[in-house]
Amino acid sequence: MSVLLFAGLVVAGLIPVNNEFRPTPGGVEVLFISNDVHADVLVPIQTDVVDWREIFPPGAVSGDVSRATHVAIGWGDKGFYIGTPTWSDLRLSTVGNALFLPSSTCLHVMYADAELYRAGGRSVRISREQYARLVEYIRSSIRPGPEGRAMAIPGAAYGFDDAFFEARGSYHVFNTCNCWIGRGMQAAGIRTGLFTPLPRTVLWWLP
């Protein structure tokens, strides 16, 4: 029954919400990037709405990211995220635990140059008010430390330009990393699927 239920919910991803959405000319550009299993949102490091450096301190990463223009933010299962830096590290037990056992979560944040991802991503411009709602949604997923900043997970990173931070929420098959992205898009009023467990259902309705 659970397989049939999940299949039905995947089909629900083909039902769009926020059908009245129209891009805002000159608005804040947000990019959505994905691989075959996971989607991230790429947002400007600084606008008049937020300076992400005040929330995800650059000192949490090991390299010089002073030239970065954006941050890529994703949410997911803590064990899977940190324990699987490459596909060769993937273990069936890790996948099973992530999908079928509600588990703790973290945020993966990478300081990035947007130009490196623009060709393979989906870009949309939204109003300042819509972006503020997206920012608030992301911030609500952070487990804050002192002064409201995100708490970095020591020693957890894929490279010189990224870090992991403690997050709120539980990960399971009905609440995946892509569901998290989809809910953020819904909160910001961006057209997306009703339920988005897969990256394709996140990106399907974008221009």
Side-chain angles (χ1 to χ4, degrees):
M1 287 296 294
S2 60
V3 173
L4 292 176
L5 176 60
F6 183 76
L9 291 172
V10 170
V11 172
L14 303 178
I15 302 172
V17 296
N18 295 331
N19 290 314
E20 73 286 356
F21 171 72
R22 297 292 184 274
T24 302
V28 180
E29 184 186 32
V30 177
L31 289 113
F32 296 92
I33 57 177
S34 73
N35 56 30
D36 290 337
V37 297
H38 175 83
D40 287 334
V41 59
L42 198 67
V43 290
I45 282 182
Q46 183 177 8
T47 64
D48 65 342
V49 175
V50 67
D51 184 341
W52 289 109
R53 291 168 295 195
E54 296 178 356
I55 299 170
F56 301 115
V61 307
S62 61
D64 178 9
V65 292
S66 59
R67 296 186 179 182
T69 61
H70 289 63
V71 287
I73 305 171
W75 174 96
D77 177 84
K78 189 175 182 179
F80 186 97
Y81 243 150
I82 296 176
T84 314
T86 68
W87 290 119
S88 63
D89 298 302
L90 183 63
R91 300 290 182 270
L92 186 59
S93 59
T94 305
V95 176
N97 289 338
L99 291 178
F100 302 112
L101 297 175
S103 51
S104 58
T105 57
C106 63
L107 288 156
H108 181 236
V109 177
M110 180 177 65
Y111 281 83
D113 180 349
E115 295 306 318
L116 299 178
Y117 298 92
R118 196 177 302 282
R122 299 285 186 89
S123 169
V124 63
R125 290 190 177 272
I126 59 178
S127 70
R128 183 188 184 281
E129 291 73 21
Q130 289 172 313
Y131 183 60
R133 295 203 300 269
L134 178 61
V135 168
E136 181 56 33
Y137 171 79
I138 294 171
R139 295 189 68 164
S140 72
S141 299
I142 298 169
R143 189 190 302 170
E147 300 178 359
R149 289 189 172 193
M151 295 186 292
I153 300 173
Y158 291 158
F160 73 91
D161 57 358
D162 72 304
F164 288 90
F165 297 87
E166 299 287 357
R168 292 180 169 136
S170 295
Y171 187 101
H172 50 79
V173 68
F174 298 112
N175 189 32
T176 69
C177 50
N178 302 305
C179 292
W180 182 82
I181 290 285
R183 288 197 303 273
M185 296 171 71
Q186 291 180 23
I190 301 170
R191 196 178 192 216
T192 188
L194 178 64
F195 177 68
T196 59
L198 305 172
R200 189 174 297 274
T201 51
V202 172
L203 304 178
W204 185 265
W205 298 105
L206 288 175

